[in-house]
Amino acid sequence: MENKGVRPVNPSTPMRAILFVVLTAACGASVLLTAFWHWNSSDPLRFFCYLAIAMLAAAMRVKLPGMDSTMSVHFLFVLLGILELSLPETLAIGCAAALVQSLWKTKRRPEAIKVVFNVISMSANAICITYYAYRLSLGFLKNGAPLLLVVAAFTYFVANTAPVAVVIALSENRPLRSIWSETYFWSLPYYLVGAAIVYLISIANQYMGWESALLIMPVMYGIYRSYLMYLGRLEEEKRRVEIEARQVETEKRHVEQVCALHLRTIEGLALAIDAKDHTTHQHLNRVRTYAVEIAKDLQLSEEEIDALRAAALLHDIGKLAVPDHIINKPGRLTPAEFEKMKIHPIVGAEILERVAFPYPVAPIVRAHHEKWDGSGYPDGLKGEEIPIGARILATVDCLDALSSDRQYRKALPLDEAMKQVAAQAGMAFDPRVVEILARRYRELESVAIHGLEEASIDSLSFSYAVERGERPATGFEHDASHSGSQSDFLSSIASARQEAPTLFELSQDLGNSLSLDETLSLVAMRLRRLVPYDSIVAYVRKGDLLVPEFVSGDNFRIFSSLSIPVGTGLCGWVAQNARSIMNGNPAVEAGFVHDPNNAGEPRSALAVPLEGVSGLVGVLALYQAKADAFTSDHLRVLQVITAKVALFIDNALKYREAESSATIDYLTGMANARALSMYLEQELARSKREQTAMAVMVCDLNGFKEINDRYGHLAGDKVLKIFANLMRETCRDSDYMARMGGDEFVIIAPNMPPESVAERAMMLSAMAQKAGRAVCGKDFLSLSLGAAFYPQDGQESEQLLAEADRKMYTAKEHHYAGSKLMAPELARISQWATVN
């Protein structure tokens, strides 16, 4: 192979590299002038034929992947010229071919210095050195023509590639040997193969004359086409690697989005705690700052610090389960009230376990009221049994509680609060944590105060005055005026308190299963308590369409038949704009059939978008027969659960897709070995229960390896796809087909008698021949088939498969032994067959 196209110089090339190019060009020019001055040609016709073929070979060049170089096979005629022609003739052939390779069909005009380097510096010098090396070797190897050509090919390889490597080494200050071996040494086998081809041509010339060299044209074209195919496969592999890299990048972004979702979840839950308890978000940020700094001082891992950071914000989330009058009681608690208060670490841990944080948050929340001496709650842990994060959180939470105003007492000065915490070291708190806190509490207080200005959690709008809405629809209690009274956010939470148990149940339902129908049925049942509806539909986005994945309630047939384009109709608009619609008209949906006689026809709709981590998942729509049936309160409830519903549907769809791909053969679309095993067990159980027969047929394609060897694996894959499609057309609807692997297929045929196997084998063999002809144009394929029958050949699936496989291999042995089984013989030995 001839390498050309290296850019030898550019504006930043060092002077020493330029000098080398100039010196080699001068040497090459001297060689050309001297040779052409002493021109001689004993057979001009042969010379011009070799010259034309070499230039044509140079035009059949290919670009090397990842390099600014091209490759051609014209060097075969350089070696042939060295063997049969004079030096001037060989130089003319080599330099003319190099010139064609440098200039023929280039996308941009090559630089003159590049052309000079390729033609004169490389080709002329390499040909001259190789010519004299060959002549010199004649004196030592007079009868070793093959070895002489190997010497010539190796010399030409070194002389042709070394100048380029030298230029790169001088330009980049890299070792010459490593550049030459990494960049060009891989092409040495091609030069040696070329020497072998030239040797064969020279032998042919001895017996048939030099004209036989013209027969190399088809060989050159074959080499050219095969290398193009090879480069095509390389490009395809490169694209595959790029696609996989993009997939990895997508997964990485997905992980980042999940982490961001966790952070938003933490902040949202922290706001919920803020609204429940009358303490402010300043308490949460203050505790977080203290805890994280102490964790760093203790040299905890990043994962432990992240877990503590989240737990510091969420440690009181369990108070959502404690009645308001207990949390906000302006005095000491009764024993009964304290028993209710003690459940909040357990409830908080149970809530956070369902969030699936990537670090252990729940154990810290559960144990943040444990004490060093074991007198804490809920589990009575002591000492090192308590998670380190919980020990830190308990200490700083106590300091913050003592130094902050509470409903039941005023705040203590920070120094006095620290003294009380220090007095509990070794009893309630970890002495190490207390020691660090006592040493740094003033510093940490300054950091916490400064950080409040940049806190990521904003305070809720407790004091916001709602100007709209003069009176509720049912009027005020006793028709009293509402002047001077304003509702705050805590009142909103109190009014919606009855929703909490149902929403909690919904959250549990969404985390218990990945079955769409089962889980959405539970969601629909529980949601009806909060938002009355006649029909509920969960639409899933598939491309540019919304398809009903789950339908429940009235008008089932109407909604099940819908297929809504995104951007069209009511739910299509919701999907396109990611905005909710309340009391929309269902009749505007694409495909909705209006029936004026249907009293239960839906007349109002509440639709909300379901947005997952990677975009819109679908739309959740509720329908009622009554016009304007839904309220903003219904919309609010629906919006509370949509994020979790969307995440559940997204995960369930991915699980369904993964489950399907685990049982489907990627190439043929048939069931794979895993699915076959499960189905065969089910079908065998049915046959035993109903006492019916069943046939298990194992098929193998004879001659498939030859197709792979001759035409490549892509052609083999195409044959398998065609044969699989033809099998589907041939087999009965009740038959089950699977690809075991390679070119082996299995058919499970209920109620098939043994005498029908021969006919089925003939049909399948015809399909195999048809598939082979469709791809290769020749009859390469035949089929070997072995059949086992329940109950004659076995009672278990392994026995039936093994027996069918054994008979198939018996049939295959007869096939390769040259036996030709015709239809009468097949009828006689229908349990195994080879069909040609």
Side-chain angles (χ1 to χ4, degrees):
M1 299 291 172
E2 183 83 3
N3 296 297
K4 289 287 178 279
V6 178
R7 189 180 297 276
V9 293
N10 57 54
S12 61
T13 302
M15 183 57 65
R16 55 186 179 179
I18 296 175
L19 287 176
F20 177 79
V21 172
V22 172
L23 288 174
T24 54
C27 291
S30 301
V31 168
L32 287 175
L33 289 174
T34 303
F36 291 151
W37 183 259
H38 299 91
W39 176 270
N40 66 302
S41 176
S42 59
D43 191 344
L45 179 59
R46 175 167 57 173
F47 163 70
F48 282 111
C49 286
Y50 284 5
L51 176 63
I53 298 174
M55 294 174 68
L56 183 60
M60 291 189 295
R61 61 180 188 173
V62 291
K63 188 179 184 304
L64 297 178
M67 299 174 61
D68 189 19
S69 301
T70 59
M71 177 177 281
S72 73
V73 294
H74 75 261
F75 88 98
L76 295 175
F77 286 90
V78 173
L79 291 181
L80 197 57
I82 291 172
L83 189 65
E84 298 181 359
L85 303 178
S86 65
L87 176 60
E89 289 174 313
T90 306
L91 284 169
I93 290 173
C95 292
L99 185 63
V100 170
Q101 186 174 337
S102 298
L103 301 178
W104 180 258
K105 289 186 178 180
T106 55
K107 293 183 178 179
R108 55 186 179 185
R109 186 177 180 181
E111 300 174 11
I113 186 66
K114 176 180 176 180
V115 176
V116 170
F117 184 79
N118 288 337
V119 176
I120 300 177
S121 298
M122 291 174 58
S123 294
N125 289 331
I127 292 170
C128 182
I129 293 171
T130 306
Y131 187 88
Y132 284 110
Y134 178 79
R135 292 291 183 267
L136 183 62
S137 300
L138 281 173
F140 301 99
L141 302 169
K142 294 182 179 180
N143 297 320
L147 190 56
L148 283 170
L149 282 171
V150 169
V151 171
F154 181 78
T155 304
Y156 187 71
F157 162 72
V158 174
N160 190 46
T161 57
V164 188
V166 171
V167 171
I168 296 174
L170 293 175
S171 301
E172 301 179 1
N173 289 322
R174 293 170 54 195
L176 173 61
R177 181 178 178 182
S178 65
I179 293 174
W180 184 69
S181 61
E182 293 172 6
T183 309
Y184 295 107
F185 191 73
W186 63 271
S187 61
L188 175 59
Y190 294 98
Y191 283 85
L192 300 180
V193 171
I197 294 173
V198 170
Y199 175 68
L200 295 176
I201 294 171
S202 67
I203 293 176
N205 288 352
Q206 292 175 12
Y207 293 99
M208 295 183 291
W210 65 266
E211 292 83 356
S212 62
L214 301 179
L215 297 176
I216 199 174
M217 284 298 297
V219 177
M220 287 194 312
Y221 185 73
I223 295 173
Y224 171 68
R225 291 300 303 174
S226 63
Y227 194 73
L228 281 181
M229 291 176 63
Y230 170 70
L231 289 181
R233 292 181 183 178
L234 286 182
E235 286 297 322
E236 184 177 343
E237 180 67 16
K238 179 181 177 183
R239 286 193 297 269
R240 186 186 65 79
V241 172
E242 290 175 351
I243 291 173
E244 290 178 352
R246 286 196 295 269
Q247 290 175 343
V248 170
E249 183 64 26
T250 302
E251 291 174 359
K252 180 181 177 182
R253 286 197 300 269
H254 175 70
V255 171
E256 293 173 351
Q257 290 170 346
V258 169
C259 291
L261 178 62
H262 278 133
L263 180 59
R264 291 194 297 271
T265 302
I266 293 170
E267 294 175 352
L269 291 173
L271 282 173
I273 302 167
D274 190 7
K276 179 74 175 180
D277 198 341
H278 280 178
T279 58
T280 67
H281 72 290
Q282 295 180 1
H283 158 71
L284 299 174
N285 280 293
R286 189 183 186 195
V287 170
R288 177 174 63 177
T289 301
Y290 272 68
V292 169
E293 291 300 319
I294 291 175
K296 292 178 180 178
D297 207 320
L298 289 171
Q299 297 182 346
L300 299 189
S301 66
E302 285 296 322
E303 182 178 280
E304 290 174 315
I305 293 175
D306 288 339
L308 181 58
R309 184 181 286 112
L313 290 175
L314 302 174
H315 64 279
D316 282 336
I317 190 173
K319 288 183 179 179
L320 293 172
V322 180
D324 292 346
H325 72 275
I326 297 177
I327 293 176
N328 300 320
K329 184 178 181 179
R332 295 178 179 177
L333 300 179
T334 65
E337 290 171 340
F338 183 58
E339 288 301 317
K340 292 183 178 180
M341 177 65 79
K342 285 194 297 184
I343 69 169
H344 84 269
I346 299 174
V347 174
E350 290 177 347
I351 292 173
L352 296 178
E353 282 173 352
R354 288 166 172 77
V355 178
F357 288 102
Y359 28 74
V361 178
I364 298 177
V365 172
R366 183 181 180 92
H368 80 279
H369 276 289
E370 301 288 356
K371 293 186 178 181
W372 185 258
D373 60 4
S375 61
Y377 62 88
D379 300 315
L381 303 179
K382 63 180 180 180
E384 299 288 340
E385 296 175 352
I386 306 170
I388 182 62
R391 283 179 263 155
I392 296 172
L393 185 57
T395 308
V396 300
D397 190 36
C398 180
L399 177 65
D400 178 80
L402 291 173
S403 59
S404 302
D405 286 329
R406 294 297 170 96
Q407 295 91 342
Y408 46 88
R409 57 157 176 77
K410 291 292 184 180
L412 295 176
L414 185 61
D415 293 338
E416 181 62 28
M418 186 64 240
K419 288 180 181 179
Q420 292 197 18
V421 171
Q424 292 293 316
M427 292 181 289
F429 308 122
D430 184 343
R432 283 194 307 157
V433 176
V434 173
E435 186 274 327
I436 295 173
L437 183 61
R439 175 165 42 87
R440 297 189 59 190
Y441 74 95
R442 290 185 178 276
E443 171 199 348
L444 297 180
E445 181 67 16
S446 300
V447 173
I449 293 173
H450 178 72
L452 287 176
E453 301 174 359
E454 303 175 355
S456 60
I457 303 179
D458 298 325
S459 178
L460 294 173
S461 303
F462 291 113
S463 59
Y464 182 79
V466 181
E467 297 178 358
R468 300 294 301 274
E470 296 182 357
R471 58 191 295 124
T474 56
F476 294 110
E477 184 180 3
H478 303 300
D479 203 23
S481 173
H482 66 284
S483 58
S485 65
Q486 296 180 349
S487 61
D488 58 17
F489 193 76
L490 290 176
S491 300
S492 299
I493 290 180
S495 65
R497 186 168 180 78
Q498 66 273 15
E499 300 168 5
T502 303
L503 292 177
F504 182 73
E505 291 172 352
L506 280 170
S507 299
Q508 287 183 312
D509 294 339
L510 291 171
N512 287 340
S513 172
L514 284 173
S515 169
L516 270 175
D517 290 339
E518 177 186 339
T519 303
L520 289 178
S521 295
L522 286 172
V523 170
M525 180 185 68
R526 300 192 194 282
L527 188 60
R528 201 170 212 159
R529 303 176 193 169
L530 303 177
V531 184
Y533 61 82
D534 296 327
S535 307
I536 181 171
V537 183
Y539 297 96
V540 171
R541 181 169 188 170
K542 294 183 178 179
D544 293 329
L545 292 176
L546 292 175
V547 179
E549 182 68 33
F550 172 82
V551 182
S552 179
D554 301 339
N555 301 291
F556 179 88
R557 298 180 67 178
I558 294 177
F559 293 116
S560 296
S561 63
L562 294 181
S563 183
I564 303 171
V566 174
T568 303
L570 188 146
C571 289
W573 185 91
V574 171
Q576 184 180 53
N577 298 279
R579 298 175 66 88
S580 303
I581 284 183
M582 184 173 67
N583 292 321
N585 183 8
V588 302
E589 295 287 20
F592 187 92
V593 180
H594 174 64
D595 183 4
N597 298 321
N598 182 8
E601 182 177 283
R603 290 174 173 80
S604 59
L606 176 59
V608 294
L610 299 175
E611 296 186 86
V613 175
S614 56
L616 184 81
V617 175
V619 174
L620 181 64
L622 277 61
Y623 301 94
Q624 280 207 42
K626 180 182 176 182
D628 299 325
F630 297 103
T631 67
S632 57
D633 203 41
H634 296 152
L635 175 61
R636 176 184 58 79
V637 171
L638 211 56
Q639 288 174 332
V640 168
I641 67 167
T642 51
K644 293 182 179 179
V645 172
L647 188 59
F648 159 73
I649 292 177
D650 196 17
N651 290 336
L653 291 174
K654 290 177 181 177
Y655 174 77
R656 178 190 291 176
E657 181 180 352
E659 189 176 41
S660 174
S661 64
T663 57
I664 299 298
D665 177 56
Y666 76 98
L667 181 64
T668 62
M670 284 184 168
N672 60 14
R674 180 172 181 266
L676 171 68
S677 177
M678 294 188 293
Y679 182 84
L680 183 54
E681 291 291 346
Q682 295 172 4
E683 190 62 24
L684 195 58
R686 186 192 65 79
S687 295
K688 291 178 181 178
R689 186 171 61 252
E690 299 178 4
Q691 295 184 351
T692 56
M694 178 181 65
V696 177
M697 292 175 279
V698 176
C699 311
D700 188 84
L701 298 177
N702 303 320
F704 182 72
K705 184 178 185 300
E706 187 176 358
I707 290 178
N708 275 339
D709 293 342
R710 286 197 184 187
Y711 299 95
H713 289 279
L714 293 178
D717 289 348
K718 190 173 182 181
V719 167
L720 292 177
K721 290 179 183 177
I722 295 174
F723 179 67
N725 291 332
L726 293 173
M727 277 185 69
R728 294 187 183 95
E729 298 174 5
T730 305
C731 292
R732 305 172 303 176
D733 292 340
S734 59
D735 294 344
Y736 186 83
M737 293 155 287
R739 181 187 176 206
M740 286 288 285
D743 58 345
E744 191 169 307
F745 297 83
V746 175
I747 302 172
I748 300 175
N751 300 310
M752 174 172 280
E755 55 270 15
S756 300
V757 172
E759 181 183 355
R760 178 62 62 86
M762 294 284 289
M763 295 171 64
L764 290 173
S765 183
M767 298 299 102
Q769 290 177 344
K770 185 176 180 180
R773 283 196 302 269
V775 176
C776 308
K778 296 180 181 180
D779 288 336
F780 280 103
L781 291 183
S782 62
L783 182 131
S784 294
L785 182 144
F789 299 91
Y790 171 82
Q792 299 95 308
D793 294 323
Q795 299 285 329
E796 303 297 331
S797 59
E798 292 84 358
Q799 294 174 336
L800 293 173
L801 282 173
E803 180 64 14
D805 198 52
R806 183 188 66 78
K807 291 179 179 178
M808 183 273 291
Y809 275 105
T810 302
K812 185 177 283 289
E813 289 172 3
H814 280 261
H815 165 73
Y816 287 114
S819 65
K820 304 292 183 177
L821 301 179
M822 308 310 292
E825 295 168 295
L826 286 168
R828 190 173 64 252
I829 49 173
S830 58
Q831 291 148 333
W832 59 268
T834 298
V835 186
N836 293 292

